Amino acid sequence: MGRTRLAGATLNHAGDHYRYTEVPMELRPHQHPHPPFWYPSSNPESSKWSGSAGLNFLTLGPTEHAGNCIKAYKEGYGMRGTPSGPALDFSGGTAYGVNRHIVIAETDEEARQIAAPAYHRWYASLIKLWVDNNLPGPGFARSTQGEVTAAIAEGSVIAGSPETVCAR
């Protein structure tokens, strides 16, 4: 469905899995023709697709894995060469980024103490449905560290004093 569906007063779509007929689009985007699209993925194949579609891109996970996704995104964008719509936010075209958990405190130890329970709760939420249903989950979930110290070591969590965080 995508961007063309945001332009009209009603939604009409007939696809393989979903069908919509004259569904009122009560909430309309403030920006016209639509806000910039961001496509999140932790899978290199779909990361490449995002680039080839000219979308902004966001990934997450361990530094090495996120780097592979960004490399795939750049490869896909290189095949296209232009953003999918007006580059309203980024004069160079699209943008890409990596989501990180960042905790800043007076000392490195205090930041790690704050980060540990927050990360544990986030990780439990991330894997809950896969654990409850005895499923392996996607590659990202399988490669995500369950303990904050390991997540800090691999780069997906940054916790420390302002000086430590700036240095990372």
Side-chain angles (χ1 to χ4, degrees):
M1 286 189 277
R3 71 193 98 196
T4 58
R5 306 303 191 260
L6 292 173
T10 59
L11 171 67
N12 291 291
H13 173 77
D16 293 338
H17 304 287
Y18 302 99
R19 295 184 193 289
Y20 302 102
T21 305
E22 298 297 316
V23 176
M25 296 298 289
E26 298 296 330
L27 298 176
R28 307 282 298 274
H30 180 71
Q31 293 171 281
H32 293 285
H34 54 73
F37 284 99
W38 284 81
Y39 188 87
S41 178
S42 59
N43 173 302
E45 185 177 316
S46 57
S47 301
K48 184 176 181 179
W49 174 87
S50 174
S52 70
L55 304 173
N56 296 311
F57 175 70
L58 182 68
T59 191
L60 69 168
T63 300
E64 183 178 346
H65 181 79
N68 291 335
C69 290
I70 290 172
K71 181 180 176 183
Y73 170 82
K74 288 179 174 181
E75 182 182 334
Y77 188 74
M79 293 185 304
R80 180 187 179 96
T82 60
S84 64
L88 303 174
D89 295 332
F90 307 102
S91 60
T94 62
Y96 57 88
V98 180
N99 187 30
R100 291 288 178 247
H101 302 267
I102 300 175
V103 178
I104 303 171
E106 292 294 323
T107 67
D108 291 353
E109 181 58 32
E110 185 183 356
R112 285 190 294 270
Q113 288 176 358
I114 294 167
Y119 185 81
H120 176 75
R121 185 174 184 147
W122 172 82
Y123 182 75
S125 176
L126 172 71
I127 65 169
K128 181 184 184 337
L129 292 177
W130 299 303
V131 169
D132 288 355
N133 293 287
N134 197 29
L135 297 169
F140 159 71
R142 293 191 305 273
S143 68
T144 300
Q145 298 294 329
E147 295 299 323
V148 73
T149 53
I152 290 170
E154 73 181 10
S156 59
V157 173
I158 301 169
S161 67
E163 296 79 20
T164 298
V165 171
C166 285
R168 298 279 323 269

